[in-house]
Amino acid sequence: MAAHRSGPLKQQNKAHKGGRHRSRGATQREGKGRLALKTLSKKVRKELSRVDQRHRASQLRKQKKEAVLAEKRHLGSKDGPPHHVLVVPLHNRISLPEAFRLLQDSDTGIIHLNEWGSTHSFMLLCPQLKHRWFFTSAKPGDLHTVLDMAKVADTILFLLDSLEGWDCTGEYCLSCLFAQGLPTYTLVVQGVSVLPPKKQIDARKKLSKTVEKRFPDDKLLLLDTQQEARMLLRQLTNQKQRHLAFRDRRAYLFAHAADFMPSDENGLVGTLKVSGYVRGQTLNVNSLLHIIGHGDFHMKQIDAPVDPFPLNSRVIKSQKDLGLATEICATDGIVDMEEEVKVLMKADPDKQESLQSEAIPDPLEGEQTWPTEEELSEANDLKESSKLVKKVPKGTSSYQAEWILDEDGESSGEGDGCDDAENENFMEEGSLDESSEEEEEEEFETMTIGESERDDLYDKKVDEDAEEKMLEKYKQERLEEMFPDEVDTPRDEAARIRFQKYRGLKSFRTSPWDPKENLPQDYARIFQFQNFTNTRKHIFKEIEEKEIEGAEMSVLNMVVSRYPGNIEPVKAKEELIFHCGFRRFRASPLFSQHTAADKHKFQRFLTADVALVVTVYAPITFPPASVLLFKQNSNGMHSLIATGHLLSVDPDRMIIKRVILSGHPFKIFTKMAVVRYMFFNREDVLWFKPVELRTKWGRRGYIKEPLGTHGHMKCSFDGKLKSQDTVLMNLYKRVFPKWTYDPYVPEPVPWGKSEISSTISEVDME
């Protein structure tokens, strides 16, 4: 009887892995003292027991809690700066003087009024709460003042209306403040006590629903009586402070007083004395001082005068009139009011930072030197060795000899080589000059006919030139959306001259492009980091010891998104107003796509659907920092157009502008086609022959040869072409921002309710 043999389909069970679960001792014996690579490369961490881990977590919580309490006790105390509160009314029915009258209660503390500047402010000293406040105010219509004061305020006190909460101007102000970054804030309602008792509860419920859209988890406080004002002060004292990163890493000061002492006859040059409380980091006298809207300046010295608003002052009331109070300021003992001011630091000219914000370019840097005699002799030897000896008829010139074919049927000249070199030069390097911009489109004339006297009065207020320019911008924006980057080939100028600075790329994503190639002259005036990330980390480590950030210029890249309340088209290279951290300036930016590639496509307009990167020449600022973009209208008002944050300081970020030349297939033979209207002469066809073609329906091809002298060309594609398809050619060049940085920003016309309402109504109509 034959034995059974298993076939090829027999089930194969897995072998038992008995050595997988080894003990620690067995592993150490097998390793014989050898350690793993990770153990050798990392520091040995001491493993804590479970009880020690709990104890360490408890200590960390205790330290954080003590840090928060210490910050609360320091702010507004006798040893710390006053608690700066910015009061912002968000509705035109709110009475700011009435709110200040309730807060200026003589029973609560001592009041020091201050009418310096355009804003009303007062200092409130409360020995009972061991706290002092500095209240300032700003109207939402004066937007730049609100934004600048919010950068240095500890708390923002929003005054809301009892019925509507905020109006259009208040909504616009809140949008700007949210984009810039809000410090600690408190919501206060005014006018609830005026309503009937039955309607007060309904009004508060309705107002809570309105407010929770912007402030979902915040409570509403009342401010109609002296008792409610005292409760508000206690809320401000015990409130936890929110931190802004761009503010905590720098020294800043809100000027309580300023005095200018001219040093020349004209009174234009002199010394500005500024008095206030230094906040944030330590202020270094050798660093530069930036005044918002005016620029950077040197400091001469830092003085430490007597605190003009000490907390522990005593009040002696007269026996004749208890309502009159005589204020005597004293510290722990008797203070000599005539004590000399202490000088803390004086500037050292050898250690002061330079006001020079631009690098001095060397015109001879990068220039080619005159060749030496040895180099000239080597070049002559190469010329002699490169000459070709051939048999030619008698009387033949050297030019005619270049066209005589050799035995292999090719010319000995360098014509083909020159063509290849020109083609390669066009594909890789591009040209150096560029002519004028694209052809302007045809002009249109509008005429407005009024049907009544009211229409005539309305027409007188309309600026026809501004309307015509705006219509042209809307047309260009719509054409850019329909036909992105497409331009018409000029007929009165050769395309090889018009687009001589452009080049073709096989792939926009993978084709190489040297970031140091053909840089403009302005790049010799800026500074560049070898490694921006490491420099930023190094400076933030040392920023606690001294203020390092200076005024050197570089290329700033900012990520912004379009503000939905503004629909006016914004073209690249238009002058805009920037709020970047503490700085405010004017510049003409470039727009580009926000991608992770090494090349970023230039955008002609600030689109509303995606975030874009804005590039300008500006002083070096380290992120994080909020960014707000404004545009000055023809009536002098500033409109918010975009918000975002600072991305990087990188001059090597390449912004590539693309133009697309389009042609139409005239005759189609399967994969071959005759294309016209892309060029209008034979020389242009030969010049752009190395550039790859594509179609709107996804075909790819190349130019085989020109046909005739009117710009027709024979093209080959990777598939059959449709008659309704369009042939395209992509050309690219690198663009750079304009040097238009200006730290001075003129004061805008205050916003009114009518302007905000008209803007919002336009958005609703869209």
Side-chain angles (χ1 to χ4, degrees), residues 482-536:
M482 297 172 61
F483 308 100
D485 301 330
E486 290 193 26
V487 297
D488 294 332
T489 305
R491 304 194 63 176
D492 56 348
E493 184 182 8
R496 61 186 182 278
I497 302 300
R498 168 62 185 85
F499 303 107
Q500 60 182 343
K501 204 172 182 179
Y502 291 81
R503 70 184 69 175
L505 293 178
K506 182 71 175 179
S507 172
F508 183 80
R509 185 179 61 87
T510 60
S511 296
W513 197 312
D514 187 6
K516 305 295 184 183
E517 169 192 359
N518 292 338
L519 297 179
Q521 188 66 26
D522 290 336
Y523 262 51
R525 304 164 60 184
I526 64 174
F527 296 85
Q528 183 179 4
F529 296 97
Q530 186 175 4
N531 191 320
F532 176 74
T533 305
N534 292 345
T535 305
R536 175 176 173 269

Side-chain angles (χ1 to χ4, degrees), residues 12 80 102 137 145 251 264 275 285 335 359 391 398 419 455 558 581 600 622 760 764 766:
Q12 299 290 337
L102 294 174
S137 62
T145 302
D264 60 348
S275 176
V285 70
V335 177
K391 293 181 179 181
S398 58
D419 292 340
D455 295 338
M558 315 168 189
H600 312 273
F622 294 103
I760 293 181
D764 295 340
E766 289 291 328

Side-chain angles (χ1 to χ4, degrees), residues 430-434 499-503 732-734:
S431 304
L432 299 176
D433 301 326
E434 181 183 15
F499 303 107
Q500 60 182 343
K501 204 172 182 179
Y502 291 81
R503 70 184 69 175
Y732 304 91
K733 76 165 182 177
R734 185 178 179 183

Side-chain angles (χ1 to χ4, degrees), residues 287-299:
S287 62
L288 298 180
L289 183 69
H290 177 74
I291 301 178
I292 297 179
H294 296 279
D296 302 301
F297 302 91
H298 273 146
M299 285 185 285

Side-chain angles (χ1 to χ4, degrees), residues 489 661-663 675-680 693 713 727-729:
T489 305
L661 306 181
S662 60
V675 180
R676 60 180 178 179
Y677 301 148
M678 182 177 289
F679 305 107
F680 298 99
L693 300 177
M713 54 188 180
V727 181
L728 305 175
M729 176 182 289

Side-chain angles (χ1 to χ4, degrees), residues 409-598:
E410 294 183 357
S411 173
S412 63
E414 299 178 354
D416 296 338
C418 290
D419 292 340
D420 296 339
E422 290 178 358
N423 296 340
E424 183 178 0
N425 182 38
F426 176 80
M427 292 291 293
E428 299 295 334
E429 297 183 0
S431 304
L432 299 176
D433 301 326
E434 181 183 15
S435 60
S436 59
E437 297 294 330
E438 290 80 8
E439 285 186 340
E440 298 183 356
E441 301 183 8
E442 58 180 348
E443 299 181 355
F444 289 85
E445 183 178 0
T446 58
M447 181 177 297
T448 306
I449 303 176
E451 297 179 357
S452 62
E453 295 181 358
R454 182 178 179 182
D455 295 338
D456 295 338
L457 294 175
Y458 179 81
D459 293 340
K460 292 181 180 179
K461 300 179 181 179
V462 176
D463 189 353
E464 295 185 0
D465 295 337
E467 290 287 323
E468 189 70 22
K469 292 179 180 178
M470 187 58 62
L471 176 61
E472 188 66 24
K473 289 179 65 176
Y474 273 110
K475 284 179 55 182
Q476 294 178 5
E477 186 182 32
R478 297 293 172 85
L479 287 175
E480 182 66 20
E481 292 178 359
M482 297 172 61
F483 308 100
D485 301 330
E486 290 193 26
V487 297
D488 294 332
T489 305
R491 304 194 63 176
D492 56 348
E493 184 182 8
R496 61 186 182 278
I497 302 300
R498 168 62 185 85
F499 303 107
Q500 60 182 343
K501 204 172 182 179
Y502 291 81
R503 70 184 69 175
L505 293 178
K506 182 71 175 179
S507 172
F508 183 80
R509 185 179 61 87
T510 60
S511 296
W513 197 312
D514 187 6
K516 305 295 184 183
E517 169 192 359
N518 292 338
L519 297 179
Q521 188 66 26
D522 290 336
Y523 262 51
R525 304 164 60 184
I526 64 174
F527 296 85
Q528 183 179 4
F529 296 97
Q530 186 175 4
N531 191 320
F532 176 74
T533 305
N534 292 345
T535 305
R536 175 176 173 269
K537 292 180 180 179
H538 177 69
I539 287 182
F540 281 163
K541 287 182 180 179
E542 296 184 355
I543 205 167
E544 297 180 358
E545 302 177 3
K546 61 179 180 177
E547 186 71 14
I548 296 180
E549 186 175 273
E552 289 83 5
M553 297 280 286
S554 188
V555 179
L556 268 62
N557 303 306
M558 315 168 189
V559 180
V560 299
S561 299
R562 190 66 187 267
Y563 175 61
N566 188 292
I567 59 173
E568 180 181 341
V570 180
K571 199 173 182 180
K573 300 181 182 180
E574 287 188 19
E575 186 181 78
L576 301 178
I577 299 171
F578 288 77
H579 279 254
C580 182
F582 279 108
R583 294 186 179 272
R584 187 171 77 228
F585 56 89
R586 294 184 296 171
S588 300
L590 295 180
F591 305 140
S592 60
Q593 293 180 351
H594 182 33
T595 60
D598 60 338

Side-chain angles (χ1 to χ4, degrees), residues 187-255:
L187 305 178
V188 177
V189 184
Q190 191 183 58
V192 177
S193 61
V194 182
L195 300 175
K198 296 182 179 180
K199 293 185 178 180
Q200 291 183 6
I201 299 177
D202 296 337
R204 294 185 64 175
K205 289 182 179 180
K206 183 179 179 181
L207 184 60
S208 299
K209 292 182 179 179
T210 304
V211 170
E212 69 181 2
K213 298 177 182 178
R214 286 275 189 182
F215 310 96
D217 300 326
D218 296 298
K219 295 182 180 180
L220 300 176
L221 302 179
L222 302 180
L223 185 59
D224 291 324
T225 61
Q226 296 289 351
Q227 183 179 3
E228 293 172 349
R230 296 190 189 99
M231 293 177 61
L232 175 60
L233 292 177
R234 290 185 179 273
Q235 171 68 16
L236 296 176
T237 305
N238 301 324
Q239 199 171 18
K240 183 181 178 181
Q241 294 296 311
R242 301 176 62 182
H243 295 274
L244 299 177
F246 75 91
R247 184 172 71 179
D248 294 340
R249 289 169 174 165
R250 296 167 178 85
Y252 60 95
L253 177 144
F254 179 80

